Amino acid sequence: MLTVDLDAVAANYNIVKATAPGAEAGAVVKADAYGLGMVPVARRLAAEGCGSFFVAEAREGAALRAALPGVTIYVLNGLFPGTAALYREAGLVPCLASIDELAEWRAEAARAGTRLPAALHFDSGLNRLGMSAADAAAIAEEGALSAGVDVRLIMSHLACADDAAHPQNAAQLGLFRTVLDLLRPRFPAARISLANSPGVFLGPDYHFDLVRPGVGLYGGNPLTGRAAPFRPAVTVEARVIALRQLSAGDAVGYSASWRARGPARIAVLAAGYADGYLRALGRTSGEKAQEKGGQAHIAGYTVPVAGRVSMDMLAVDVSAVPEGLIRRGDMAELIGPNISVDDVGLRAGTIGYEILTSLGRRYMRRYVSEAHGASDEPGGPI
Ligand SMILES: *Cc1c(COP(=O)(O)O)cnc(C)c1O
């Protein structure tokens, strides 16, 4: 069972607004809103006043457009070759990341006999997507390069914002300012955007006109080594489908990698790596619960995973829970108020972002909200 707390998403959106009061708060809803479900999440954010959404790809943008006709939808991955008409028909704003993409968008505007909105994306040190300062100079100088293109947004993306002390933050800000100095005279109405979720916490110099949080809205902690500023928004629970009594030396799971040291009790839960509960969260007998391997919270106790995670099941060692407290059919929390998505990420050797975007499609999903009531997705085996 996967429960998405839409009130928490809304509260997190309002934390962003309060932290960057001078800027508009947009929302990044790519990858199905980091696994939470793009449409219900975006609808709730729109109800909170969000008018600018960011997706990664045009197909995501078209799906969002069908749900929210009135909002601005930016496509972060830019304009794929030969797809400009699709972007125009869905009313999408590509984040143009090269002079070639700008040329294709310009040609589409000419073909359609209209002006088309765009964001211009500049690289400031991430070396992933974005044009260079030299490209900015060319665009500033040569009006023909952007003919027919209505530049609404000028943006860049930070590489190290999770670490406020990292010198690359200021370096990227400096380079971005150089780009802005070049382009502002040509596009005086364009708005400016730099900050992702961690960038929101780097202070007002990084806020500009529009901030673009993603993971923070969904309850992930975007700050390395600092307390989470956001509220958890996702709870994943798995049902206890079997309880077993083991004797010393009995092994659990594939490869028999975990063995009971003495009499032990095991609860088998109905979730596995096919549900996005990563196999890396398994634990062999030698490993200490404090350091590695997943945990579940059940009957008020936090208990360690025992053995390998299977495709559809995992086992937890409930020997420390007084007998009789756990019954077949009970639910165990795998992610939620007691087990943060970031801790799960750490224990799996990854980050909370990847845990969220891996959340399985097989869970029954529930969207809850005090104000708007709960809605269950129909079906689901769990
Ligand atoms: C994904 C993404 C974001 C959001 O990042 P978070 O760290 O999840 O807040 C913002 N901008 C760009 C360009 C992105 O790709």
Side-chain angles (χ1 to χ4, degrees):
M1 165 90 77
L2 194 161
T3 306
V4 176
D5 180 351
L6 292 174
D7 291 340
V9 174
N12 291 335
Y13 180 69
N14 287 308
I15 289 171
V16 169
K17 286 214 282 198
T19 311
E24 177 191 346
V28 180
V29 295
K30 63 193 178 189
D32 205 23
Y34 292 45
L36 276 67
M38 179 180 71
V39 168
V41 162
R43 282 213 170 105
R44 178 57 187 270
L45 289 168
E48 295 297 313
C50 183
S52 298
F53 291 86
F54 293 81
V55 295
E57 301 191 342
R59 258 180 0 142
E60 296 174 326
L64 184 57
R65 173 58 72 220
L68 291 173
V71 302
T72 301
I73 303 173
Y74 294 96
V75 181
L76 290 168
N77 279 7
L79 189 60
F80 292 9
T83 61
L86 204 131
Y87 283 65
R88 178 175 54 74
E89 283 156 17
L92 307 179
V93 185
C95 299
L96 303 172
S98 67
I99 295 285
D100 285 350
E101 289 177 41
L102 177 58
E104 281 178 35
W105 198 232
R106 196 170 68 225
E108 181 64 20
R111 236 187 332 268
T114 181
R115 272 167 75 73
L116 290 177
L120 299 182
H121 187 172
F122 290 90
D123 183 71
S124 55
L126 180 62
N127 280 306
R128 202 173 63 176
L129 284 184
M131 293 182 269
S132 65
D135 293 332
I139 293 167
E141 204 160 296
E142 189 62 63
L145 285 176
S146 55
V149 177
D150 174 14
V151 175
R152 300 264 181 93
L153 189 74
I154 300 171
M155 61 173 282
S156 188
H157 191 36
L158 295 164
C160 307
D162 60 302
D163 175 5
H166 201 294
Q168 183 154 327
N169 296 320
Q172 288 197 245
L173 180 62
L175 186 50
F176 189 46
R177 282 191 168 136
T178 305
V179 165
L180 294 177
D181 289 345
L182 289 165
L183 290 175
R184 269 192 176 117
R186 179 161 295 285
F187 307 114
R191 310 183 62 226
I192 314 294
S193 179
L194 179 62
N196 52 359
S197 301
V200 167
F201 295 88
L202 290 177
D205 282 357
Y206 290 80
H207 293 161
F208 294 99
D209 301 316
L210 173 66
V211 294
R212 313 185 303 270
V215 78
L217 302 177
Y218 312 123
N221 184 0
L223 309 173
T224 302
R226 283 165 63 190
F230 295 107
R231 234 168 87 179
V234 173
T235 302
V236 172
E237 293 162 293
R239 202 174 284 284
V240 176
I241 53 173
L243 289 155
R244 319 189 67 85
Q245 183 78 50
L246 304 186
S247 309
D250 287 348
V252 173
Y254 288 124
S255 304
S257 64
W258 186 95
R259 277 180 197 280
R261 295 195 168 163
R265 274 176 295 116
I266 292 292
V268 179
L269 308 182
Y273 59 76
D275 301 295
Y277 197 82
L278 303 185
R279 194 165 172 280
L281 290 162
R283 227 178 81 253
T284 62
S285 333
E287 285 164 335
K288 292 211 171 62
Q290 305 89 284
E291 288 157 13
K292 208 188 154 285
Q295 296 182 310
H297 192 81
I298 183 163
Y301 290 78
T302 298
V303 296
V305 168
R308 297 256 159 100
V309 174
S310 326
M311 186 185 294
D312 316 298
M313 278 172 265
L314 63 99
V316 288
D317 178 2
V318 294
S319 305
V321 182
E323 216 162 338
L325 279 189
I326 303 173
R327 291 163 189 270
R328 190 173 69 91
D330 286 354
M331 296 299 255
E333 174 190 323
L334 297 176
I335 300 172
N338 300 290
I339 298 179
S340 79
V341 70
D342 304 291
D343 187 51
V344 175
L346 205 65
R347 286 168 173 276
T350 179
I351 53 176
Y353 291 72
E354 192 178 5
I355 300 298
L356 287 175
T357 56
S358 301
L359 290 173
R361 294 300 315 166
R362 186 162 58 174
Y363 293 119
M364 188 181 133
R365 284 179 178 235
R366 216 157 50 114
Y367 292 89
V368 298
S369 162
E370 287 276 311
H372 301 76
S375 74
D376 285 1
E377 226 183 35
I382 299 172

